[in-house]
Amino acid sequence: MDNLRTVWRFFMDQKSTIGYSFMALLTVGGERVFSMVSFQCPCNHDQNFAYGLTFLLGPAAVLLVFGFLSSTRFWRLYTGCCLDPMKLCPRGNCLGCFRVFLSVFTGACVAPVMWLSVALLNGTFYECAVSGLDDNLVVNLFCKNKTLTCREELARVPCDRSKLSSNERMELLLMLRSQSQILGWCIIIITATVGLLGTCCKNCRSKVSYLQLKFRKIYIEKEKERFDAFALEYATKLAERNLQSFFENKKPQPFPFPNHKAWEEISAHYTFSRSEQYYSSLQRYVERGDRDFTPEERPVMDLEYGIEMN
């Protein structure tokens, strides 16, 4: 049992690393599937560039959108801001809002960057895209000191349908692939460098110690876990109370429930400050001396605040 707990604790401590590793494996697998199953370069000057660029950037754009859609912090910041724009900058803290959005954007970019890196290291999409460019600079780069046939057949090189000799075709393919791999490694190096500098800058400017930051991270995770458990429990109780009232045809029992203002306050983004040294918006709310303990008269969603139910 102790060994199982040790293994479980290790996986929980390394869950971010394991998650990113799993994402990397999915990216590599997805790129290979795209390359072998669905990708067929048209091999003509009119379509190569658009087709190759679509397969290179299209999945990255979709992954970026999914990154935003799956971000709890993004929806926590964005929900309701059309009705109340001040939610984006609670208490006038627009800099904190920008930092949160930058953090969300950085997290959403992980999967797209992985896709671009893997796709460029493989080189298939880049070869198709660049071979279809008619720009003189690009053509002169690949067909310098070569015959006119090279210019005419460059778009067909990725498909093995060109009239060039096998040696010339292989030379062009190697040039295209080497450029693609160089770009892929540049993206990896730049991303790693920016990530390291950003982390160092963030920790350097931290107002609290490393261990307290680690404690806050653990607290936030536990608060989320317990919130889900409490929400499930109270939702079950509310559903049972409503069903009992309906089937027994009697007035429902009073049900203690936070008011709308309380939900708004604990949903707001919290930024640590020396004047308010709490670990989350929830703790800031429950520790308030002027906290409003008045419950909702009825546990319903108030349409007055623009909340609609389907």
Side-chain angles (χ1 to χ4, degrees), residues 133-143 151:
L133 289 174
D134 288 328
D135 188 86
N136 289 330
L137 181 63
V138 175
V139 176
N140 290 335
L141 176 64
F142 291 102
C143 296
R151 296 173 177 269

Side-chain angles (χ1 to χ4, degrees), residues 61-77:
V62 173
L63 289 172
L64 181 64
V65 172
F66 282 155
F68 278 109
L69 290 176
S70 61
S71 174
T72 304
R73 298 182 69 190
F74 174 74
W75 293 115
R76 189 169 187 170
L77 181 69

